[in-house]
Amino acid sequence: MPESKKGHGPFSRRIAVLISGRGSNLQSIIDAIRDGRLEATIAVVISNRADAVGLQRARDAGIEAVCLHPRDFGDRDAYDRAIVDLLRDRRVDLVCLAGFMRLVSAALLQAFPHGILNIHPSLLPAFPGLDAQRQALDHGVRVTGATVHLVTSELDNGPIILQAAVPVLDDDDVDTLSARILVEEHRIYPEAIRLVLDGGWSVDGRRVRRHTR
Ligand code: GAR
């Protein structure tokens, strides 16, 4: 369990966004920066897939976009070390996973202690892993949502920064529910990044505590 007594930040405002696909959360971060709701610079966007639509979104916004393909590296550690080298070179100190569909290894976690965020389409700890919206429908919950959390070595299990609840409607299918959750994802991810970058918080057990100033 991550533990911090002294508190964090403020961070430098250079962030990286790691993606695997569509990149709509990346777009919400780009838009929040452009609109002045989030003071940050996206130093680099990294994808593990060359066909990720999000790479083009980054280039359209004038952001460096890099594909690092896992098959070009020997194993997960070598892959994550290459990511760390790239992030250090670009002087990044907050890493935002946005639909990055890979487990991160110790190499990345140790390089960015309390410095990696993830967004997940459920109210964690419910429905971690793949197909969270399908899991929620199959379970029959009436409320699900979205969670932004610090990344630890356990899948979808780090201390929580922000959550938003979304009702499950009687006629929801995976597509309609996912679309409503996504609206909340796009709202809370830039807000969570802002909170983290502003500093003045610490991790106490599982809880992220904000200090009054
Ligand atoms: C988002 O719904 C995100 O929460 C989810 O992947 C989607 C990526 O969409 N992530 C996970 O399920 C991680 N466990 P995007 O590429 O349009 O941002």
Side-chain angles (χ1 to χ4, degrees), residues 21-26 98-99 101 118-121 129 133 156 182 185-186:
R22 179 177 56 182
S24 73
N25 276 290
L26 163 66
M101 294 309 201
N118 182 44
I119 186 147
H120 184 77
Q133 303 92 335
D156 296 331
L182 205 56
E185 292 186 42
H186 295 167

Coordinates of all heavy atoms in Angstrom, one line a residue, residues 21-26 98-99 101 118-121 129 133 156 182 185-186, ligand 1:
G21 N -6.4 3.3 -27.8 CA -7.4 3.3 -28.8 C -8.0 4.7 -29.1 O -7.3 5.6 -29.4
R22 N -9.3 4.8 -28.9 CA -10.1 5.9 -29.4 C -9.6 7.2 -28.8 O -9.6 8.3 -29.5 CB -11.5 5.7 -28.8 CG -12.6 6.7 -29.1 CD -13.9 6.2 -28.6 NE -13.8 5.8 -27.1 CZ -14.8 5.4 -26.4 NH1 -16.0 5.2 -27.0 NH2 -14.6 5.1 -25.1
G23 N -9.2 7.3 -27.6 CA -8.6 8.5 -27.1 C -9.6 9.6 -26.7 O -9.2 10.8 -26.7
S24 N -10.8 9.3 -26.4 CA -11.8 10.3 -26.1 C -11.4 11.0 -24.7 O -11.6 12.2 -24.5 CB -13.2 9.8 -26.1 OG -13.5 9.0 -25.0
N25 N -10.9 10.2 -23.8 CA -10.4 10.8 -22.5 C -9.2 11.7 -22.8 O -9.1 12.8 -22.2 CB -10.1 9.8 -21.5 CG -11.4 9.3 -20.7 OD1 -11.9 10.1 -20.0 ND2 -11.8 8.1 -21.0
L26 N -8.3 11.3 -23.6 CA -7.2 12.2 -24.0 C -7.8 13.5 -24.6 O -7.3 14.6 -24.2 CB -6.4 11.5 -25.1 CG -5.5 12.4 -25.9 CD1 -4.4 13.0 -25.0 CD2 -4.8 11.7 -27.1
A98 N -5.2 6.5 -20.0 CA -6.5 6.9 -20.5 C -6.9 5.8 -21.5 O -6.6 6.0 -22.7 CB -6.5 8.3 -21.1
G99 N -7.4 4.7 -21.0 CA -7.8 3.6 -21.9 C -6.5 2.9 -22.4 O -6.5 2.3 -23.5
M101 N -4.6 -0.2 -22.3 CA -5.0 -1.5 -21.9 C -3.9 -2.5 -21.7 O -3.8 -3.5 -22.3 CB -6.0 -2.1 -23.0 CG -7.3 -1.3 -23.1 SD -8.1 -1.1 -21.4 CE -9.8 -0.8 -21.9
N118 N -5.1 6.6 -13.3 CA -5.9 5.8 -14.3 C -7.4 6.1 -14.2 O -7.8 6.5 -13.1 CB -5.7 4.3 -14.0 CG -6.5 3.4 -15.0 OD1 -6.4 3.6 -16.2 ND2 -7.2 2.4 -14.5
I119 N -8.1 6.0 -15.3 CA -9.5 6.2 -15.2 C -10.2 4.8 -15.6 O -9.7 4.1 -16.5 CB -10.1 7.3 -16.2 CG1 -11.6 7.5 -16.0 CG2 -9.7 7.0 -17.6 CD1 -12.0 8.9 -16.1
H120 N -11.2 4.5 -14.8 CA -11.9 3.2 -15.0 C -13.4 3.4 -15.0 O -13.9 4.2 -14.2 CB -11.5 2.2 -13.9 CG -12.0 0.9 -14.0 ND1 -11.5 0.0 -14.9 CD2 -13.1 0.3 -13.5 CE1 -12.2 -1.2 -14.9 NE2 -13.2 -1.0 -14.0
P121 N -14.1 2.7 -15.9 CA -15.6 3.0 -16.1 C -16.4 2.2 -15.1 O -17.3 1.5 -15.5 CB -15.8 2.6 -17.5 CG -14.8 1.5 -17.8 CD -13.6 1.8 -17.0
G129 N -11.1 -4.5 -14.0 CA -10.7 -5.4 -15.1 C -11.5 -5.0 -16.4 O -12.0 -3.8 -16.5
Q133 N -18.5 -2.1 -17.8 CA -19.9 -1.7 -18.1 C -20.8 -3.0 -18.2 O -21.9 -3.0 -17.7 CB -20.1 -0.8 -19.3 CG -19.2 0.5 -19.2 CD -17.9 0.3 -19.9 OE1 -17.3 -0.8 -20.0 NE2 -17.3 1.4 -20.3
D156 N -6.5 -1.9 -11.0 CA -7.7 -1.1 -10.7 C -8.0 -1.0 -9.2 O -9.1 -1.0 -8.7 CB -9.0 -1.6 -11.4 CG -8.8 -1.6 -12.9 OD1 -8.1 -0.7 -13.4 OD2 -9.4 -2.4 -13.6
L182 N -19.2 7.7 -20.0 CA -18.1 8.4 -20.7 C -18.2 9.9 -20.5 O -17.2 10.6 -20.3 CB -18.1 8.1 -22.2 CG -16.8 8.2 -22.9 CD1 -15.6 7.5 -22.3 CD2 -16.9 7.8 -24.4
E185 N -16.7 10.4 -17.2 CA -15.2 10.3 -17.3 C -14.6 11.6 -17.8 O -13.6 12.0 -17.3 CB -14.9 9.1 -18.3 CG -15.3 7.7 -17.8 CD -14.8 6.6 -18.7 OE1 -13.6 6.7 -19.2 OE2 -15.5 5.7 -19.0
H186 N -15.2 12.1 -18.9 CA -14.6 13.3 -19.5 C -14.7 14.5 -18.6 O -13.9 15.4 -18.7 CB -15.4 13.6 -20.8 CG -15.2 12.6 -21.9 ND1 -15.9 12.5 -23.0 CD2 -14.3 11.5 -21.9 CE1 -15.5 11.4 -23.7 NE2 -14.6 10.8 -23.1
Ligands
GAR1 C1 -12.7 4.4 -21.2 O1 -14.0 4.1 -20.9 C2 -11.8 4.1 -20.0 O2 -12.5 4.3 -18.8 C3 -11.6 2.6 -20.2 O3 -11.4 2.5 -21.6 C4 -12.1 3.5 -22.2 C5 -11.1 4.3 -23.1 O4 -11.8 5.2 -23.9 N1 -10.5 2.1 -19.4 C6 -10.6 0.9 -18.8 O5 -11.5 0.1 -18.9 C7 -9.3 0.6 -18.0 N2 -9.5 -0.6 -17.2 P1 -11.0 6.3 -24.7 O6 -9.9 5.7 -25.4 O7 -12.0 6.9 -25.6 O8 -10.5 7.3 -23.6

